[in-house]
mmCIF file of all heavy atoms in Angstrom:
data_model
loop_
_atom_site.group_PDB
_atom_site.id
_atom_site.type_symbol
_atom_site.label_atom_id
_atom_site.label_comp_id
_atom_site.label_asym_id
_atom_site.label_seq_id
_atom_site.Cartn_x
_atom_site.Cartn_y
_atom_site.Cartn_z
ATOM 1 N N ASN B 96 -173.359 141.218 16.114
ATOM 2 C CA ASN B 96 -172.018 141.574 15.659
ATOM 3 C C ASN B 96 -171.888 141.512 14.129
ATOM 4 O O ASN B 96 -171.349 142.419 13.519
ATOM 5 C CB ASN B 96 -170.979 140.661 16.271
ATOM 6 C CG ASN B 96 -170.658 141.019 17.692
ATOM 7 O OD1 ASN B 96 -170.893 142.142 18.093
ATOM 8 N ND2 ASN B 96 -170.113 140.089 18.447
ATOM 9 N N LEU B 102 -173.128 146.329 8.235
ATOM 10 C CA LEU B 102 -173.504 147.716 7.985
ATOM 11 C C LEU B 102 -172.319 148.654 7.827
ATOM 12 O O LEU B 102 -172.489 149.796 7.362
ATOM 13 C CB LEU B 102 -174.391 148.243 9.135
ATOM 14 C CG LEU B 102 -175.807 147.609 9.140
ATOM 15 C CD1 LEU B 102 -176.569 148.057 10.356
ATOM 16 C CD2 LEU B 102 -176.566 147.953 7.888
ATOM 17 N N PRO B 134 -160.443 136.795 11.979
ATOM 18 C CA PRO B 134 -161.829 137.109 11.654
ATOM 19 C C PRO B 134 -162.583 137.656 12.883
ATOM 20 O O PRO B 134 -163.344 138.631 12.755
ATOM 21 C CB PRO B 134 -162.415 135.763 11.267
ATOM 22 C CG PRO B 134 -161.266 134.941 10.877
ATOM 23 C CD PRO B 134 -160.110 135.411 11.656
ATOM 24 N N ALA B 183 -182.826 155.099 13.996
ATOM 25 C CA ALA B 183 -184.268 155.426 13.910
ATOM 26 C C ALA B 183 -185.081 154.937 15.152
ATOM 27 O O ALA B 183 -185.894 155.722 15.652
ATOM 28 C CB ALA B 183 -184.833 154.871 12.619
ATOM 29 N N ALA B 187 -187.621 157.147 17.399
ATOM 30 C CA ALA B 187 -189.066 156.815 17.425
ATOM 31 C C ALA B 187 -189.574 156.709 18.847
ATOM 32 O O ALA B 187 -190.715 157.045 19.142
ATOM 33 C CB ALA B 187 -189.277 155.488 16.687
ATOM 34 N N HIS B 198 -182.228 161.888 7.285
ATOM 35 C CA HIS B 198 -181.793 161.700 5.886
ATOM 36 C C HIS B 198 -180.298 161.498 5.814
ATOM 37 O O HIS B 198 -179.533 162.381 6.181
ATOM 38 C CB HIS B 198 -182.250 162.940 5.099
ATOM 39 C CG HIS B 198 -181.890 162.890 3.654
ATOM 40 N ND1 HIS B 198 -181.922 163.981 2.827
ATOM 41 C CD2 HIS B 198 -181.518 161.825 2.874
ATOM 42 C CE1 HIS B 198 -181.563 163.601 1.608
ATOM 43 N NE2 HIS B 198 -181.298 162.318 1.624
ATOM 44 N N LYS B 262 -165.524 166.079 10.242
ATOM 45 C CA LYS B 262 -166.329 165.572 9.147
ATOM 46 C C LYS B 262 -167.846 165.668 9.469
ATOM 47 O O LYS B 262 -168.652 165.669 8.556
ATOM 48 C CB LYS B 262 -165.950 164.129 8.832
ATOM 49 C CG LYS B 262 -166.177 163.160 9.945
ATOM 50 C CD LYS B 262 -165.644 161.777 9.572
ATOM 51 C CE LYS B 262 -165.731 160.855 10.810
ATOM 52 N NZ LYS B 262 -165.038 159.593 10.611
#
Side-chain angles (χ1 to χ4, degrees):
Chain B
N96 281 340
L102 289 175
H198 182 195
K262 63 185 172 190

